[in-house]
Amino acid sequence: MAVAGQPNSGKSTVFNMLTGARQHVANYPGVTMEKKSGTYRYQDMRIELVDLPGTYSLTSYSLEERIARDFILHERPALVVDIVDASNLRRNLYLTFQFLEMGISVVIDLNMMDVAEKRGLEIDAKELSRRIGVPVVSSIGNRGKGKEELRKAIFEAYKGRGAFKPFRIDYGPLEPSLKVLEKQLLDNAHLSASYPLRWLAVKLMEGDSEAQRLTEKHLEDPKETLGYVEAKREEFASQHNEAPERFIATRRYQSADEITKHSVRKKRETFLTLSDTIDKIVCNRFLGPVILAATIYALFELSIVQGYKITAHTWPLLAGFKGFVASILPSPGFLEEPFLRSLTLGIVDGVIAVLNYVPIFLILFALIAILEDTGYMARVAFILDRIFRHFGLHGQSTLPLILGGVFVGGCAIPGVMACRAIKDERARMATILIVPLMNCMAKTPLYVLLVSIFFVQHKGMVMFFIATITIIIALAVAKALTITVLRRKEGAPFILEMPPYHLPTVQGVLRRTVERTWLFVRKVITIIIAIAVIVYILISFPGLSEQRKAHYQTRAGGAIATFFEGIEGSRYAPLFEVPGLMKFMRYWEGYKKARMGAKGKETKSAVSEKFQSRNPEFFTIVKPGRDKEARKVNTGFKRLVSLRKEILREKREEIISSSYLGQLGRTMEPFTRFAGFNWRINIALLSSFAAKESSVATLGAIYQPTEGGEKTLDVRMREKERGYTSLHALAIMIFMVMYPPCIPTLIMVKLESGSLRWMFFAALYPTLLGLMMAILVFSGGNLLGLSGIEAMVGFYAVAIAITALMALIRREPKIDFGRR
């Protein structure tokens, strides 16, 4: 059975009340929208409920409308439990009439009766049931009142189907045309068996595109029927000076008025409700934006900032899991690491990098659920829609952009996930495609590095530029996308209802938080494993030549020989005979890691006792004290460890440079030099595709210290790239602003868009656009003799001007709001 209703009618609350914890969340086939189902038992029957998306109507404007309508038409539920907001009966009956026209059995649940009573409304459920011809039950879903009565009504309605005679709207002058259409459609066996013919006739007269598609698909000669429909629509419009769809909507509301008049009595005059009073402040022209900014700041602070702090406590658990996996894999050699070990640990690194975001998602989804349940999310959309609609977006695009990082420090993954709340398909896709342009926290290290090298005197100014240029560019890009590649996407009227404020329930918030987080984790991890394998291959193969391998082995052999010469004759020397050297190496690294993670004297002492009991002789070398021989071995081994790290670092740098990724970086250099990028910068930017944090880590591997290891990366990079100027740095930062989404974010784009095509597009368009911008800044700046700061100011001014011009372009879909 289906649970349906208009948005803000308490539909999901009633669904949770009926099913309790026996729920399952998946996705509707082919789309990203969640399909929530649940079960309960009543007497001898197991009843399954499917919570349909909230929708005002059953046309083909939005994804929610299409899903709800297709589920009823094709899945054929036994009946529909229609959740009606008792305080807005007239408006809610508009949807109820459409259920009845579809020939489905209906049980009406008058929910939110407490709100209706506060507004002085008294509803006669029996009279309403008599007039509309279906069972009617009253409930207060958020308090659990009416649960048993509703369960009983559902059971009896199913057992006694056909006992009620549903209300039928008389469409007056349209009735003759509807009867002719029904007769024509009746001749087709498939249509008459699969769809309610009166419903299909009404939808055709409304000009519904899906009804037309069904007719074209199933009729042998649809031109006759569709021609008749078009002729009658034009005839009606000319005779009545009104479109048929507007007339149909009016008759529905007139019928709702008539039923409401005889079923609802107003006990007293009501003035401003509590919600109205709150909205005078929350939606105030001046105070509203201030409150919104504070709310957004709190949301960002609690989910992103505090969530990242929590990851400091969860990361050791994930690192411990990696350590456990490493312990059961083949052990590494002095220089060589077994393929199985390196590949497996590469996959584990990719998975735990995503799992590290779980604390953020738990907090984020909980806060979003609270904002949704209180009713404030609708106010957010109301306040910002006036600006965003000029760029093809909605007020509901605000939250995803904030989470993505309008200012430095967001994360694109939760930003993309938050887009599913946007009802308009065109605006939703535009938002998904621009969220990755925001300043996620992973981009920040590269910004800070370049600013500290090339913009020492203007740090604040440059960081302000970075923090604001992203949203400026993103708005212009969103408008460009909506009038080009997204122009065929379904638009929808932005219907905004201000629901009354409610106190969210702890159970409801926790349930949705866990459901949404688990759905994310389950889907993403499976794809991450495949992607991690691909990245590993690109950055590790084809590997070094035999000659270069021999070179590193010779250096390693020399370092080991020097170590053994230094400890020759020592009583500890036999401990390092094969395989003693690597056994001690693992013991040494394990002890150092354990001591580093220990806090406090007692914990450090416990670590020492544990390792001492494990191998007393090894421990004497690690902690030699006054033992001269042990101190000598300790000193020699430290030197060996240092040499090993240096050899491994150089070897890894050469592997990266000669890998498929490195070769691609060198191949790109003839083109990227116009943007100021050499092959080393290309490799760093390419490595960021896996995770943007990789850019600085890769630069650290490429720009090795020339004298010892005491110099910082910014100093080493400045020495290596002596010809680099602030103009080079500006071009790199602008490219990073437009950098394509990292792999985890691209996976979320695939999941939310439901298409690999959009995932590839999300990776391609910002790459090309970012490269064009970087070339414009670098080559144009050089041509004009501009410094980095001068070019930055000029670019900023041009970006603002282009965005302002884009806002003036109007290309809105022609929508007849009378249908609503």
Side-chain angles (χ1 to χ4, degrees), residues 409-427:
C411 178
I413 298 174
V416 172
M417 291 184 72
C419 293
R420 65 179 52 181
I422 303 172
K423 307 300 183 185
D424 183 285
E425 182 67 5
R426 188 186 295 121

Side-chain angles (χ1 to χ4, degrees), residues 568-600:
E568 189 176 1
S570 167
R571 70 176 187 273
Y572 296 106
L575 297 174
F576 292 91
E577 293 178 358
V578 178
L581 179 63
M582 289 311 300
K583 184 178 179 182
F584 181 77
M585 181 75 73
R586 290 190 291 273
Y587 180 91
W588 173 284
E589 291 175 349
Y591 176 75
K592 297 296 182 185
K593 187 179 293 184
R595 286 278 294 184
M596 188 178 299
K599 296 180 180 179

Side-chain angles (χ1 to χ4, degrees), residues 595 598-609:
R595 286 278 294 184
K599 296 180 180 179
K601 289 184 178 181
E602 293 184 3
T603 309
K604 292 181 184 294
S605 297
V607 169
S608 296
E609 290 176 6

Side-chain angles (χ1 to χ4, degrees), residues 25-40:
V25 178
N27 273 9
Y28 288 96
V31 297
T32 60
M33 188 164 291
E34 292 179 359
K35 178 184 180 181
K36 185 187 291 185
S37 60
T39 61
Y40 70 90

Side-chain angles (χ1 to χ4, degrees), residues 529-542:
I529 292 174
I531 297 296
V533 173
I534 296 172
V535 171
Y536 174 84
I537 292 171
L538 290 176
I539 206 165
S540 301
F541 287 89

Side-chain angles (χ1 to χ4, degrees), residues 175-193 195-198 200-202 204-205 214-216 218-232:
E175 287 295 335
S177 301
L178 292 175
K179 288 178 181 178
V180 171
L181 273 176
E182 285 186 66
K183 186 176 180 181
Q184 290 183 7
L185 297 171
L186 184 63
D187 293 337
N188 185 276
H190 182 82
L191 276 177
S192 59
Y195 304 103
L197 297 185
R198 179 170 174 83
L200 189 56
V202 171
L204 286 171
M205 290 304 295
L214 290 174
T215 305
E216 290 174 347
H218 296 295
L219 290 184
E220 292 183 7
D221 185 16
K223 291 183 180 179
E224 179 183 352
T225 299
L226 294 180
Y228 175 82
V229 169
E230 191 58 33
K232 288 299 178 181

